[in-house]
Amino acid sequence: MPNRIITIAKQTFKAAFNNKATLALTLLLGLSLCLATYVGWQNYKTQNNQRLHYKELVRAQWLAKPDKHPHRMAHYGYLAFREKHELSFFDFGIESFAGVSIFLEAHKQNTVNFSEAGFSNGMLRFGEISVAMVLQLLVPLLIFFMGYNSISAERESGTLKILLCQNVSWKQLLWGKTLGIIGVCLSIFLPLILLTILLWASLSHWQISADSSLRLLVLIFSYAVYFFIVAALTVLVSAFVRSSKAALITLLSCWIFFMVIMPRITQAVGVKIHPSPAKIEFADAIASDISKQGDSHNPDDPHYAAIKDSLLQMYGVDDVKKLPFNYGGYIMAEGEKITSKIYSNHQKTLNKTFEKQNEITTVAGFFNPYLALKHISMALTASDFNTFVDFQNQAEAYRYQLAQKMNKLQIEKISNIAPGENEKPLAISKKNWAEQPDFNYRFGKLHTVISNELLVLCALSFWLLTTIFLLQYATRWIKTIL
Amino acid sequence: MKQYIYQLEFKLFFRNSPAWIGIIVLLVTGFAGLYFGKTFIARQLAVIEKAAVLQKKNTLNNIDHFGKDIGLFFFHNKFSVVNTPDPWSAFANGQRDVNPYLISVTMLGLEGQLYDTDINNPVSLLMGNMDLSFVFIFLFPLVIIAFTYNLLSEQQESGVWSLLKSQTGKSFTIIRRKFSIRVVVIIGVAIVLFMVAKFYLNLPVDLTFLAVFALTILYLFFWFAVSFFFISLNKSSNFNASAMVAVWVLICIVIPASLNLFLTRKYPIPEALQNVINQREGYHEKWDMAKEVTMKPFFEHYPQLKKYPFPQEKTFSWFWYYAMQQMGDDQALESRLAIQHKLESRQHFTQTVALFFPPIQTQLGINKMAGSDLDNHLDFQHAVRKYHEQIRLHFYPNIFLNQGVNDTDIKNYKPEKYIRQQVPSVWVNLLSIMLFASILMVISIFNFRKANRF
């Protein structure tokens, strides 16, 4: 029995390539895939090299700073750059819309700035061509053009009846056609996978990490599942609909609705239901929380006055200048602790809001396999929202550590008696700067990605099971003659 | 008689359900686009209103906290400049989601503050906004394709064509008639949407209205011309549908997306990162240098400030501090101009390629008219620069003379509004689209004649 399926699949595969239009389309798609791969790879290299170059420059400048007061260094701060994951050349995801560099300084949390979108003149709104975009948007279109008449043409020409009379079951027919179409897809997808592996290996300087390999494996598998779903749906539509023309129109309408309109609408609805604050509102909420907690700039502030009193009592002195450590540094460390905590809480709430906005699109994956795959693809290539948030968190953790390190140096090494207006400022040796490590972003591991994306993975599996079920059991509702 | 035939054709057209589905889809998505577009801009307007209240509140707070030290007060106090949305930006949101519409700056170095983004959800930015211009640019063409792809082929495939042809003799007239009905319906839907937009978005009926309307209608004509061209090839319905959708996918998605990638590759902007580094270094290194290194170029930049006494002997003075900040901006000048130059190259490249692709041309034209494009944002940034300079020069004397904050007019400051001075023109956009539509029409008519079928 499976032999028949294979025979039909082979037949479909051959017929597809005998059709000049399909052949032309397939070649065109293959070509644009190669182009997308090449340009994506080149883009990755230039942008990543740029960031690495400035990362080194920033480090060198940090180390070259002369002897000075540690608080000056805390304000001099550090510039962190968001590195790209080596798989991101495959899927750009939110790369162009998320900022690239963030300035890390004491007392102040900055935004991640300089996204490519900020320099774009509206062209970006049409999207960016990447391997993922071709595979997600254009390959389904190819599948539609190949498969819209897979059953309906047989019906229209009368061969369907003959086939069914020759002991071929509906089930075999549907499976055979689906597999045949997938065969065509794979014939362009497989060489591409090899190319991807090659490029990716060269991007990682031939030092392939186990995590990336696993990511790539899951990625390939997800795309294969997606193609299967699309091919099966195409064949099913062709079997159910009255004519080839109706099948083509239905499939094209679905393509437009699911891939062009729906993503925008779901996201717009998400933003509407869960509005996020503007920057000034966000900053204002933080400021009012901080003033509730205590204001380190205000000498009469009760919170800091209490600290001062307890310190004076503990060390048995009557003036902060007589304390055995730098009082200013101590207060600053306390202030940094309070403000960072408040800021982080607000940032967490904000990210929760963003996640809720995105959730509508995520859940829509159960209605739209394209959205499910898009999410998975971005997550696996580390060009998704979660990775961006993770970068923000790591940068903030680094900022806090840097500020507190400088405060500690001030507490321990700076005299407690401030110099007069005309005296030399206090300073410590530049040797201390090297103690501050460089900022390096660490990508999350595959298992965290998987656990984050459990919902969309479910959505894709749901689609896989649904289409298998339909291929197996839909036959009872299909009519041979309409 | 002629009128009667048209009535009949209208009836015939509206009798099939795809016609109604197409019209309803356009109206529903159009209204959705209007709703989401307006909500998006309404939110920005609300924030702008709030900014005025917050600026006042924060200034009073700052006077409370730092009022005794004027230099410290201006270290903290922020001044906002807002890019007030044009009513048309609800029609075409453009880049207003990516670029900040409210920039708050202190008197310190500007280059370190000017590029701060608003906080936004990158996934929303990726998916893009849903506004009415999206419906016009992406969805209208598809409905035009759906309405016209089988205009001739269906008659042929069902065998009605030879009958029709034998009865009238003027077969081209039949095609023209069927075609013009579809044009009238689509343009009618477009006009309805424009009317609703006019009242819902409070759009003034002026030259801008006329320009956007003309641009949109011309763009729709371009798509009619495309479909007319495919009809003139006299191929099957399936071929027509596939080919026209392929054209749509190519010029609405694939080509712009490829060009965009090419653009970022051809004109990368590492200068942006260089600029931050230059500004930071230009200011911070001055702490460890003789004051002369800062003050000499500062007084060269602002000779008029020389008259204020500079406290040379003091280790720290706000005079020196603000001059150091200025050095950050001055030393970033070169990289700043480099960014500007790169952006101009990008703009030039885009405008050139847009000449050949009506969807890009229309989108850019509408965004330009709506004041939601990159140029508008750059003009806004320029306005922020000017305002920042004005504020600095206004308050420097108070700081350098160490006067009290209460002696200044700081309490009267409200957020500065940037409103664009001149309405841009879209002649080039209009002409290039018209040219393409005309060329296609001429070729199609030529095809019809050559085949001598009519």
Side-chain angles (χ1 to χ4, degrees):
Chain A
M1 180 173 129
N3 283 344
R4 284 220 185 97
I5 296 179
I6 290 166
T7 315
I8 297 169
K10 271 187 188 158
Q11 209 66 49
T12 316
F13 185 82
K14 268 190 209 153
F17 278 110
N18 282 338
N19 183 340
K20 268 186 201 148
T22 316
L23 194 69
L25 265 175
T26 314
L27 281 178
L28 204 73
L29 218 59
L31 218 68
S32 52
L33 270 174
C34 289
L35 187 82
T37 315
Y38 176 73
V39 180
W41 176 53
Q42 287 287 320
N43 245 22
Y44 171 90
K45 275 213 311 202
T46 19
Q47 293 195 1
N48 219 31
N49 285 345
Q50 239 172 53
R51 291 175 207 181
L52 286 176
H53 167 75
Y54 286 113
K55 180 179 179 305
E56 276 166 27
L57 187 63
V58 164
R59 181 68 191 165
Q61 283 178 335
W62 170 269
L63 293 177
K65 287 287 123 189
D67 296 358
K68 56 163 89 188
H69 193 289
H71 195 59
R72 286 269 93 81
M73 282 306 269
H75 273 287
Y76 176 69
Y78 218 82
L79 269 171
F81 297 96
R82 197 166 57 81
E83 273 173 60
K84 280 166 166 260
H85 192 275
E86 64 250 28
L87 280 175
S88 71
F89 81 92
F90 183 88
D91 188 341
F92 301 160
I94 62 165
E95 286 285 319
S96 298
F97 295 92
V100 168
S101 83
I102 180 166
F103 180 46
L104 309 170
E105 57 179 323
H107 323 308
K108 195 170 166 248
Q109 286 84 352
N110 293 305
T111 49
V112 191
N113 295 332
F114 299 113
S115 70
E116 184 53 46
F119 300 120
S120 162
N121 44 15
M123 290 277 282
L124 189 60
R125 274 301 136 90
F126 289 94
E128 293 168 291
I129 199 149
S130 66
V131 184
M133 186 238 201
V134 175
L135 293 180
Q136 290 168 8
L137 283 181
L138 303 184
V139 169
L141 214 54
L142 174 77
I143 294 177
F144 289 169
F145 280 122
M146 259 179 342
Y148 77 96
N149 58 2
S150 55
I151 305 280
S152 57
E154 306 261 16
R155 182 185 284 135
E156 280 159 350
S157 65
T159 43
L160 184 61
K161 272 187 281 183
I162 303 172
L163 267 174
L164 292 174
C165 287
Q166 284 173 334
N167 235 351
V168 174
S169 72
W170 261 112
K171 216 191 272 178
Q172 290 165 345
L173 192 63
L174 292 182
W175 275 101
K177 293 277 183 189
T178 306
L179 293 178
I181 291 169
I182 291 173
V184 181
C185 287
L186 289 186
S187 65
I188 51 172
F189 187 48
L190 282 177
L192 185 86
I193 292 170
L194 293 177
L195 187 67
T196 308
I197 293 175
L198 212 68
L199 283 177
W200 158 72
S202 96
L203 284 179
S204 0
H205 306 288
W206 308 102
Q207 284 167 337
I208 297 159
S209 74
D211 189 67
S212 293
S213 328
L214 280 175
R215 276 174 186 258
L216 190 65
L217 214 66
V218 181
L219 194 71
I220 292 169
F221 182 70
S222 307
Y223 274 92
V225 168
Y226 177 65
F227 292 155
F228 173 80
I229 293 167
V230 176
L233 289 176
T234 309
V235 173
L236 284 164
V237 166
S238 183
F240 271 107
V241 166
R242 187 174 305 171
S243 64
S244 297
K245 199 184 94 185
L248 183 61
I249 296 296
T250 311
L251 288 169
L252 289 179
S253 311
C254 285
W255 186 82
I256 288 148
F257 180 74
F258 286 115
M259 301 187 183
V260 182
I261 303 179
M262 201 168 154
R264 281 176 189 246
I265 290 191
T266 49
Q267 198 64 34
V269 169
V271 172
K272 176 77 192 155
I273 298 178
H274 305 287
S276 47
K279 195 176 177 182
I280 50 159
E281 296 167 323
F282 184 70
D284 185 56
I286 292 173
S288 73
D289 270 10
I290 289 174
S291 72
K292 263 181 236 154
Q293 267 279 347
D295 184 351
S296 62
H297 289 294
N298 181 1
D300 306 326
D301 183 89
H303 179 83
Y304 291 93
I307 294 179
K308 186 174 153 186
D309 288 345
S310 75
L311 279 178
L312 292 179
Q313 207 181 358
M314 196 194 297
Y315 288 90
V317 286
D318 54 1
D319 189 350
V320 287
K321 279 185 187 154
K322 291 180 188 159
L323 288 171
F325 55 84
N326 185 292
Y327 176 70
Y330 187 87
I331 288 298
M332 216 122 52
E334 175 70 11
E336 192 69 60
K337 200 169 102 195
I338 292 175
T339 52
S340 294
K341 201 169 163 216
I342 291 173
Y343 178 87
S344 294
N345 284 340
H346 278 268
Q347 184 70 44
K348 250 183 225 154
T349 318
L350 179 72
N351 288 336
K352 276 261 161 57
T353 311
F354 285 158
E355 268 163 37
K356 275 186 202 156
Q357 293 179 350
N358 301 340
E359 217 161 65
I360 310 262
T361 315
T362 317
V363 172
F366 282 97
F367 303 95
N368 185 347
Y370 162 72
L371 285 177
L373 178 80
K374 197 178 167 74
H375 258 99
I376 295 172
S377 175
M378 289 199 293
L380 288 171
T381 53
S383 58
D384 64 331
F385 180 70
N386 286 330
T387 309
F388 180 62
V389 169
D390 191 41
F391 167 76
Q392 279 182 320
N393 291 341
Q394 289 189 23
E396 169 57 21
Y398 181 88
R399 187 200 70 77
Y400 182 69
Q401 183 272 331
L402 180 139
Q404 292 301 44
K405 167 103 200 155
M406 293 303 131
N407 285 332
K408 191 165 168 260
L409 286 173
Q410 180 173 347
I411 294 170
E412 288 168 359
K413 300 193 174 174
I414 291 288
S415 155
N416 208 2
I417 294 142
E421 272 203 337
N422 305 334
E423 286 172 273
K424 234 182 119 212
L426 297 168
I428 59 170
S429 159
K430 65 177 282 189
K431 279 184 202 135
N432 288 294
W433 313 151
E435 276 176 33
Q436 174 65 28
D438 196 3
F439 175 76
N440 286 305
Y441 177 67
R442 293 174 312 279
F443 285 96
K445 292 280 171 239
L446 180 66
H447 59 88
T448 38
V449 176
I450 300 272
S451 62
N452 280 337
E453 302 301 321
L454 223 49
L455 194 67
V456 258
L457 284 168
C458 281
L460 201 67
S461 318
F462 161 76
W463 274 98
L464 180 65
L465 294 176
T466 310
T467 41
I468 290 175
F469 173 82
L470 284 174
L471 285 180
Q472 286 284 351
Y473 300 106
T475 52
R476 60 186 71 173
W477 301 294
I478 301 175
K479 293 181 183 114
T480 311
I481 308 160
L482 286 168
Chain B
M1 173 67 188
K2 205 176 169 192
Q3 208 185 347
Y4 174 72
I5 292 177
Y6 269 100
Q7 271 176 6
L8 214 68
E9 283 282 1
F10 259 110
K11 267 189 195 161
L12 214 61
F13 174 68
F14 282 114
R15 197 172 292 164
N16 60 10
S17 56
W20 286 107
I21 295 175
I23 292 168
I24 290 168
V25 163
L26 287 184
L27 287 176
V28 170
T29 49
F31 293 146
L34 275 170
Y35 174 74
F36 285 123
K38 186 173 176 167
T39 324
F40 176 74
I41 295 299
R43 168 92 189 110
Q44 298 200 341
L45 285 168
V47 170
I48 288 171
E49 226 164 83
K50 203 164 183 184
V53 181
L54 284 180
Q55 178 163 334
K56 180 124 193 138
K57 183 183 119 185
N58 288 335
T59 304
L60 294 177
N61 265 347
N62 287 338
I63 293 178
D64 219 31
H65 282 165
F66 318 110
K68 285 176 206 142
D69 185 349
I70 186 164
L72 191 61
F73 170 83
F74 281 104
F75 174 91
H76 286 283
N77 200 54
K78 283 192 169 182
F79 299 88
S80 300
V81 189
V82 296
N83 187 358
T84 326
D86 190 282
W88 279 99
S89 55
F91 185 95
N93 297 159
Q95 304 281 98
R96 282 194 74 99
D97 54 347
V98 174
N99 296 323
Y101 55 93
L102 185 126
I103 298 180
S104 301
V105 292
T106 63
M107 274 177 61
L108 309 183
L110 183 62
E111 289 304 307
Q113 308 179 66
L114 190 62
Y115 308 97
D116 277 359
T117 50
D118 207 336
I119 45 172
N120 37 32
N121 182 351
V123 180
S124 304
L125 298 182
L126 170 70
M127 299 293 185
N129 280 313
M130 174 89 190
D131 54 21
L132 191 55
S133 74
F134 166 77
V135 176
F136 275 121
I137 289 165
F138 290 91
L139 304 186
F140 263 74
L142 289 165
V143 175
I144 292 176
I145 292 170
F147 278 6
T148 54
Y149 80 100
N150 59 356
L151 205 74
L152 176 60
S153 52
E154 195 183 31
Q155 320 278 339
Q156 288 171 335
E157 280 153 23
S158 64
V160 186
W161 184 243
S162 46
L163 202 72
L164 271 176
K165 226 166 121 178
S166 64
Q167 276 178 351
T168 59
K170 280 188 236 157
S171 37
F172 186 65
T173 327
I174 304 173
I175 298 282
R176 210 185 53 203
R177 203 154 48 212
K178 282 189 180 298
F179 200 78
S180 56
I181 281 165
R182 282 147 177 84
V183 174
V184 168
V185 170
I186 291 283
I187 303 292
V189 175
I191 290 174
V192 168
L193 284 175
F194 261 93
M195 292 302 283
V196 176
K198 190 237 162 292
F199 290 106
Y200 186 61
L201 305 179
N202 282 326
L203 302 173
V205 180
D206 53 9
L207 215 64
T208 309
F209 194 101
L210 207 69
V212 177
F213 184 69
L215 200 59
T216 312
I217 298 296
L218 260 180
Y219 176 66
L220 300 182
F221 270 116
F222 162 76
W223 279 101
F224 276 114
V226 170
S227 102
F228 202 58
F229 169 75
F230 279 102
I231 294 171
S232 79
L233 295 179
N234 201 23
K235 293 269 171 77
S236 71
S237 295
N238 281 355
F239 173 85
N240 283 354
S242 312
M244 284 189 219
V245 170
V247 168
W248 182 87
V249 171
L250 264 183
I251 65 173
C252 284
I253 295 183
V254 175
I255 290 176
S258 312
L259 282 173
N260 183 51
L261 205 59
F262 179 75
L263 177 87
T264 39
R265 189 167 143 56
K266 189 163 180 214
Y267 305 105
I269 312 193
E271 290 87 352
L273 300 179
Q274 185 67 52
N275 193 48
V276 188
I277 287 174
N278 288 351
Q279 189 268 337
R280 194 167 78 116
E281 231 23 60
Y283 150 59
H284 272 282
E285 67 182 14
K286 302 298 184 293
W287 281 104
D288 312 307
M289 294 176 173
K291 294 194 180 66
E292 195 51 26
V293 180
T294 306
M295 297 320 288
K296 204 168 158 251
F298 183 67
F299 286 135
E300 271 163 27
H301 193 137
Y302 296 114
Q304 71 269 38
L305 297 175
K306 250 186 186 159
K307 64 180 177 217
Y308 300 103
F310 178 69
Q312 187 72 48
E313 68 293 344
K314 273 193 183 175
T315 314
F316 174 83
S317 66
W318 286 112
F319 204 150
W320 182 46
Y321 181 81
Y322 280 94
M324 285 196 285
Q325 287 286 341
Q326 179 68 49
M327 288 309 102
D329 277 358
D330 282 2
Q331 289 188 24
L333 184 68
E334 199 183 324
S335 48
R336 193 196 108 195
L337 292 176
I339 298 175
Q340 200 178 322
H341 182 70
K342 274 278 172 66
L343 288 177
E344 278 161 15
S345 315
R346 280 186 168 198
Q347 198 70 339
H348 182 73
F349 173 82
T350 311
Q351 274 158 4
T352 315
V353 296
L355 289 177
F356 304 96
F357 300 101
I360 304 178
Q361 188 71 285
T362 313
Q363 177 84 78
L364 292 181
I366 294 180
N367 285 353
K368 184 159 68 172
M369 294 309 278
S372 54
D373 60 343
L374 179 68
D375 277 340
N376 178 274
H377 180 65
L378 295 179
D379 286 346
F380 171 53
Q381 280 191 344
H382 185 68
V384 178
R385 270 183 218 291
K386 252 173 77 179
Y387 187 63
H388 185 252
E389 177 82 355
Q390 193 190 319
I391 296 263
R392 270 180 167 175
L393 290 176
H394 182 76
F395 289 111
Y396 273 162
N398 300 80
I399 298 172
F400 299 162
L401 295 171
N402 207 9
Q403 292 171 334
V405 172
N406 288 320
D407 297 337
T408 65
D409 56 350
I410 182 69
K411 282 181 190 166
N412 306 330
Y413 271 74
K414 290 190 182 82
E416 170 86 353
K417 279 192 175 155
Y418 160 71
I419 298 163
R420 64 172 160 177
Q421 293 308 307
Q422 63 202 53
V423 178
S425 87
V426 282
W427 282 114
V428 181
N429 309 55
L430 287 170
L431 280 174
S432 84
I433 297 169
M434 194 163 5
L435 191 71
F436 271 94
S438 317
I439 290 173
L440 279 170
M441 280 312 254
V442 171
I443 295 175
S444 318
I445 291 172
F446 184 71
N447 275 348
F448 277 122
R449 291 256 162 85
K450 193 176 73 177
N452 206 15
R453 295 189 301 265
F454 303 97

